[in-house]
Amino acid sequence: DIQMTQSPSTLSASVGDRVTITCRASQTISAWLAWYQQKAGKAPKLLIYEASTLESAVPTRFSGSGSGTEFTLTISSLQPDDFATYYCQQYVNYPWTFGHGTKVEIK
Amino acid sequence: QVQLQESGPGLVKPSETLSLTCTVSGGSTNSYYWSWIRQPPGKGLEWIGYIYYSGSTNYNPSLKSRVTISLDTSKSQFSLKLTSVTAADTAVYYCARAHNTGWFVDSWGQGTLVTVSS
């Protein structure tokens, strides 16, 4: 299985901060990577696919980059609605695997 | 816009079979990869498997011996069966739609908590 490692596991930030989350794959996955946002008690929500393509209706303060084994999710200016847990997922190989999540908390 | 809704028992006894159904509305089950994903309490996401609209399936090797996913296009439903459950199978189970052109999940059900306990 491809292992997906996210860092940090928890991130404390303030409204307006620029936030970056990293996801590393244990082998190359080209750009077959998605990012999801999950709020407590809710299903995940797709933010980005193919490493950098913004899903429809997702605010443009979210962006993704990377290819191969290293990827980043950036929130350019953190908003109150963005405090949540973020997961990356590779979908180049079965089984599709997720990172363990990065919780973005209020500082 | 497609909507997915899980249904099934919230409590299953150890060694028994967990059975869930996902009803798809607002869209057809023709095309796409219809998937099940689970999340143990306080933990991360685990892909269980999918069924393609053609009927082909693919399961997570860690669960493959216990999992069956089926599709009923006439009812716009797909189902999950997980046999010989233990407490480790306690989780929120999500049904989901994975995209045709890349297997990212673009639609999720709200999730249903299944507890394995006697």
Side-chain angles (χ1 to χ4, degrees):
Chain A
D1 299 3
I2 297 176
Q3 306 303 314
M4 306 301 292
T5 303
Q6 285 183 237
S7 60
S9 54
T10 306
L11 186 160
S12 296
S14 301
V15 172
D17 283 354
R18 181 181 181 88
V19 166
T20 298
I21 298 168
T22 297
C23 178
R24 290 186 174 86
S26 59
Q27 63 189 75
T28 184
I29 60 170
S30 185
W32 302 119
L33 183 104
W35 289 97
Y36 303 89
Q37 176 194 66
Q38 186 178 36
K39 297 183 179 178
K42 301 293 187 183
K45 171 190 171 184
L46 176 67
L47 298 176
I48 286 168
Y49 58 94
E50 281 184 40
S52 61
T53 302
L54 202 64
E55 170 71 337
S56 175
V58 172
T60 57
R61 62 181 180 273
F62 291 93
S63 63
S65 65
S67 67
T69 61
E70 187 153 339
F71 302 85
T72 58
L73 172 69
T74 299
I75 309 171
S76 60
S77 178
L78 198 66
Q79 298 303 300
D81 192 48
D82 302 337
F83 291 97
T85 301
Y86 294 84
Y87 293 93
C88 60
Q89 177 223 343
Q90 67 81 17
Y91 50 94
V92 69
N93 275 355
Y94 304 122
W96 309 335
T97 47
F98 296 84
H100 288 102
T102 295
K103 185 175 183 179
V104 177
E105 296 182 328
I106 300 173
K107 190 173 185 179
Chain B
Q1 181 173 346
V2 69
Q3 293 187 316
L4 294 85
Q5 178 67 58
E6 305 89 351
S7 58
L11 181 64
V12 181
K13 290 182 168 54
S15 79
E16 296 190 344
T17 297
L18 179 160
S19 295
L20 295 173
T21 296
C22 182
T23 300
V24 180
S25 58
S28 171
T29 52
N30 289 334
S31 196
Y32 296 103
Y33 293 80
W34 302 98
S35 306
W36 289 95
I37 295 165
R38 70 181 183 179
Q39 185 172 36
K43 296 188 177 180
L45 299 158
E46 179 181 35
W47 172 70
I48 299 171
Y50 72 69
I51 185 163
Y52 192 42
Y53 78 101
S54 63
S56 63
T57 55
N58 204 317
Y59 303 132
N60 192 321
S62 68
L63 299 168
K64 187 174 183 177
S65 63
R66 299 193 292 131
V67 172
T68 303
I69 298 175
S70 57
L71 176 65
D72 186 337
T73 55
S74 67
K75 294 182 179 179
S76 293
Q77 293 179 332
F78 61 106
S79 298
L80 169 71
K81 290 190 186 302
L82 182 66
T83 63
S84 305
V85 297
T86 70
D89 295 309
T90 294
V92 174
Y93 285 76
Y94 294 101
C95 61
R97 186 183 80 173
H99 208 269
N100 268 338
T101 60
W103 298 310
F104 53 89
V105 176
D106 63 359
S107 295
W108 299 72
Q110 65 182 24
T112 187
L113 174 64
V114 179
T115 302
V116 178
S117 175
S118 55

